[in-house]
Amino acid sequence: MIHLSIGPKDVTSLGREFITTFLQNGISDKPAERQILVTATSAPAKVSVFIDNSDFKKQVAVEKGQTVVIDISTELSGTSNSTHPVKIEADADITVMSTNYKNNSGDRALVYPVHQLGTEYYIITPPNGPQNQYKEFFVLSSENKTFIEIHLMGSVFLNGTNYSKGDKITMNLMPFESFQIQSTEDLSGTRVVGNYRIAVIVGHTCAQNNIGCGHVYEQLKPVVSWGTSFFVPGFSFQPAYDTVLVMASQNTNITYQSGSEIATKEVTAGDLIQINVTVNSPLSIKSTHGIQVLLHGLGGINEGKTFGSFLTSIPDTDSYGLGYSLIGENKFDTNLGVIIAKTSTAPEIQFDDKTPNDIVWKEFPGSEFSWSEYNYSSGFSTNMIQHATVPFGLLSIGYTLNIAYGSLAPCFKGKFSLSSLFSCLKDVKSSGRSFITTFLQNDISDTPSETQILVTANSAPANVSITVIKCDFNKEVTIEKGKTIIISLNITSGLNGTKKCTYPVKIEADADITVMSTNYKNSSGDRTLVYPVHQLDTEYYIITPPNGPQNQYKEFFVLSSENETIVEIYLTGSVFLNGTNYSKGDKITLNLMPFESFQIQSKEDLSGTRVAANYRIAVVAGHTCAQNNIGCGHVYEQLKPVVSWGTSFFVPGFTFQPTYDTVLVMASQNTNITYQSGSEIATKEVTAGDLIQINVTVSLPLSIQSTHGIQVLLHGLGGINEGKIFGSFLTNIPDTDSYGLAYSLIGEEKFDTNLGVIIAKTSTAPGIQFDDKSPNDIVWKEFPGSEFSWSEYNYGSGFSTELIQHATVPFGLLSIGYTLNMAYGSLAPCFKGKFNINSFIYF
């Protein structure tokens, strides 16, 4: 069996761009010694370290396997902003750590690469310390001007104003600007939200410990990166105890075992749990939702010598890696690697390619995990700790007279060489148990639309509830395994104009289901795949078909999930709202209650409009009647959030299209996009929100590669096939990392032709089965210059459900249909991910 943890989690600390700054260390005027430690583990790297808006800049060459230490001079005091963060850039993958020492006070932290930052964090600060010292944290923006909201759990004095617990501080940070918050009260539980990704570091100027106090700090992981399973060792050098700090972001049950004692606590967002840990009572923690776990080393006396305190994150088991660097501190007597590993494979861990004989392993009671301390030297050194196949966790701990440090060790090798198999861990399925959606306006005529929800139970029978919020509509159905049920809705009245809509649809089930929606009126309509709530996120870029009759509208809706949500919309077209004209470049701010939607319409193209929220939202884009080859028709598609975009796409042309369709491509940052249309290859440099349009035909299929994630949609333009007119549609194109192993194909009831359009590796395409059969009449066409092909599978007219599968190799599938004057297009619902995830053993 393969031992994997699912989810698109990058467990390495590698990157080429990092940002950080330093918290205040103590309150004395003596300067702190601050350093950046840069390690190149896989290849030599040229590294630039500079402080924004200052003369400091240093360029160094770091050899493979080497660590270079760079002295930094910058520090903040008080609650204030700073335009002097540290930026680290490299031409090859590196890992980065920071240190901050002053007198007998200091710590170190692992610095996360920019691509691993997020938009939501919960603060943990050590709660105790002298009255004249401060709990503190800083917020650091990345490449964008960023709006920050800080929901306080302790009082803060800022710009002449006293803010109390429960108050909200808002600030606008310029790109690469930081803001430090300090308080004599505990700030734990404070929620920090940015509309772009931010870095957050927490700590204390001098936190109370067993020998006095000392500066501690740690960079936090964003909420989206939290885990549910943790093991916290006790240390042999600690004669008393250390304290574990645990926090949730939502209602969560937390079960922990301390030695042989087991307890469970129910917590809400921002609640802080403190649990003591000793060498004889190590700690294991499980939770129903992601949690954040930090360890506050409290210092003490070991063999007659005092040692200081530290603050470190504890890795969740899903974030364990295969290879780490251990970097010893220059003036420290003892540098330790504290390893957390599966008991059965722990003895196979190698230290600089050797297996030491003096490693003593201790078991976590009631588990299959153990831990050990590896003392690798005094003073500065770089060491490699690895296991060939089984991931493990590693803390980097050190202590000397009156001082200590603690941090996660930098990971340079993920599970099964994650850099090459990252796509295997992506949740590619469309299945879930909670969905939300609503409907855009279809055309401007007064004729009611036929709106429907299609629900499929693929793996097990499901009891499903469909509710229209603030409406009397509620329907409960039981769906047998392999069956699809159609639920007709009547909620399209009032879906015209730019305004708030209070009738979203909630679909909930007691087993995994997939969901699609359809919206038809006269000869105008389309369908879309509805994503489960857990796949939604906070940042989207709008794509609307740019052309249509003058009296029709480009449109999109934003739908909040379970929280009251602030939504910011950065317009690229004019919008009239509540008596005010908003122009291109303006920002609209919305406050949506839970499960509330807002529709935006414009005569101008809205493509490139950025939508950002403080909680996850659903976004659907389209056109009331987009121009096509035969007139116009309503099209719509639920968009993927930026975090789910990919870098490799194949777009087929269709045999039933006598002219061409149009591919719409958009980036969220500066990106190079290379595409091949037939035999012609072109490259374009684009910025955030730029729209590229490329025509695609059956003889000129399209392949696309990009340096960063992009969004790719296909606008089917309709036409005439065998003397019959067919309509238009809008669909996402799946990136190759989101291909799955099994899909449902659901035919539309009143359609003459229902197609599955398959995109697969040429070598394995013939192994795809259609309802457990391998048809002989499938014709495959190759994408030039690639190892992929595509084909159309006509599975009949009218309503039906078919299963399309491959035993081992993922493929992409579009669900396309057409009939007289009409068409639809969408991603097919995927119910089985790569490598049959259900058979995996989870950590």
Side-chain angles (χ1 to χ4, degrees), residues 211 235-239 299-307 334 399:
I211 60 170
F235 304 124
S236 63
F237 58 87
Q238 174 55 272
I301 301 174
N302 179 49
E303 296 180 353
K305 294 182 180 180
T306 59
F307 62 94
T334 304
Y399 61 95

Side-chain angles (χ1 to χ4, degrees), residues 547 628-629 653-654 657-663 693-698 700 714-719 726:
N547 301 315
N628 58 38
N629 293 325
F654 304 124
Q657 174 56 270
T659 57
Y660 62 87
D661 297 312
T662 300
V663 179
Q693 300 184 57
I694 312 167
N695 292 336
V696 62
T697 71
V698 70
L700 294 173
L714 173 65
H715 185 196
L717 295 176
F726 64 93

Side-chain angles (χ1 to χ4, degrees), residues 15 63 186 513 575 679 712 795 812:
E63 296 302 316
D186 189 11
I513 58 174
V575 167
S679 59
V712 179
Y795 59 102

Side-chain angles (χ1 to χ4, degrees), residues 488-773:
S488 296
L489 305 172
N490 183 23
I491 61 169
T492 57
S493 59
L495 289 182
N496 60 312
T498 294
K499 62 182 183 181
K500 189 173 291 186
C501 310
T502 55
Y503 299 103
V505 184
K506 287 177 65 178
I507 304 102
E508 296 181 333
D510 64 356
D512 282 352
I513 58 174
T514 60
V515 176
M516 306 187 82
S517 76
T518 65
N519 186 346
Y520 295 114
K521 177 193 290 190
N522 301 329
S523 297
S524 175
D526 200 2
R527 72 151 53 153
T528 189
L529 179 66
V530 180
Y531 298 112
V533 168
H534 71 266
Q535 290 182 1
L536 305 180
D537 209 80
T538 58
E539 183 184 19
Y540 297 79
Y541 278 82
I542 301 302
I543 292 181
T544 54
N547 301 315
Q550 291 184 353
N551 62 342
Q552 300 283 354
Y553 298 96
K554 294 83 173 173
E555 58 184 349
F556 66 91
F557 77 66
V558 179
L559 172 57
S560 62
S561 52
E562 65 270 21
N563 298 292
E564 185 176 349
T565 304
I566 299 172
V567 181
E568 293 184 330
I569 301 172
Y570 300 84
L571 293 170
T572 58
S574 64
V575 167
F576 182 74
L577 170 62
N578 296 335
T580 302
N581 283 306
Y582 293 86
S583 301
K584 177 179 179 179
D586 288 346
K587 180 178 76 172
I588 295 175
T589 301
L590 307 174
N591 286 282
L592 297 182
M593 299 303 293
F595 305 110
E596 189 173 45
S597 63
F598 201 101
Q599 179 174 268
I600 299 286
Q601 291 186 326
S602 178
K603 298 288 183 67
E604 298 179 11
D605 188 13
L606 293 171
S607 295
T609 293
R610 180 174 175 267
V611 180
N614 62 334
Y615 286 99
R616 57 190 177 189
I617 54 177
V619 176
V620 172
H623 199 299
T624 55
C625 207
Q627 193 73 42
N628 58 38
N629 293 325
I630 59 169
C632 78
H634 175 56
V635 297
Y636 72 105
E637 184 75 357
Q638 181 167 352
L639 301 182
K640 291 186 175 184
V642 170
V643 72
S644 298
W645 292 2
T647 59
S648 176
F649 300 79
F650 292 94
V651 190
F654 304 124
T655 58
F656 59 86
Q657 174 56 270
T659 57
Y660 62 87
D661 297 312
T662 300
V663 179
L664 308 170
V665 183
M666 186 169 290
S668 68
Q669 57 183 300
N670 294 346
T671 302
N672 288 338
I673 298 174
T674 301
Y675 60 92
Q676 181 169 350
S677 175
S679 59
E680 295 186 5
I681 300 175
T683 297
K684 289 192 175 182
E685 295 182 9
V686 297
T687 62
D690 288 347
L691 180 67
I692 299 176
Q693 300 184 57
I694 312 167
N695 292 336
V696 62
T697 71
V698 70
S699 59
L700 294 173
L702 193 64
S703 59
I704 307 172
Q705 308 287 327
S706 61
T707 54
H708 299 286
I710 56 175
Q711 176 174 227
V712 179
L713 272 67
L714 173 65
H715 185 196
L717 295 176
I720 301 174
N721 179 49
E722 297 180 352
K724 293 182 180 180
I725 296 172
F726 64 93
S728 55
F729 61 84
L730 185 66
T731 180
N732 280 300
I733 296 296
D735 67 283
T736 54
D737 279 350
S738 68
Y739 290 177
L741 287 175
Y743 300 83
S744 303
L745 269 180
I746 304 167
E748 284 284 347
E749 186 175 358
K750 299 177 182 179
F751 278 66
D752 295 332
T753 304
N754 293 291
L755 300 173
V757 181
I758 310 111
I759 308 161
K761 284 199 170 185
T762 306
S763 59
T764 58
I768 295 173
Q769 292 198 320
F770 304 77
D771 278 343
D772 297 323
K773 298 178 182 178

Side-chain angles (χ1 to χ4, degrees), residues 280-347:
N280 294 319
S281 294
L283 193 65
S284 59
I285 307 172
K286 302 281 186 182
S287 61
T288 54
H289 299 287
I291 55 174
Q292 177 175 228
V293 180
L294 272 66
L295 173 64
H296 184 197
L298 295 177
I301 301 174
N302 179 49
E303 296 180 353
K305 294 182 180 180
T306 59
F307 62 94
S309 55
F310 60 83
L311 185 66
T312 180
S313 292
I314 295 295
D316 68 282
T317 55
D318 279 350
S319 68
Y320 291 177
L322 289 175
Y324 298 85
S325 303
L326 268 179
I327 304 166
E329 283 285 348
N330 190 27
K331 298 176 183 179
F332 278 66
D333 294 333
T334 304
N335 292 294
L336 300 173
V338 181
I339 311 111
I340 308 161
K342 283 203 166 184
T343 305
S344 59
T345 59

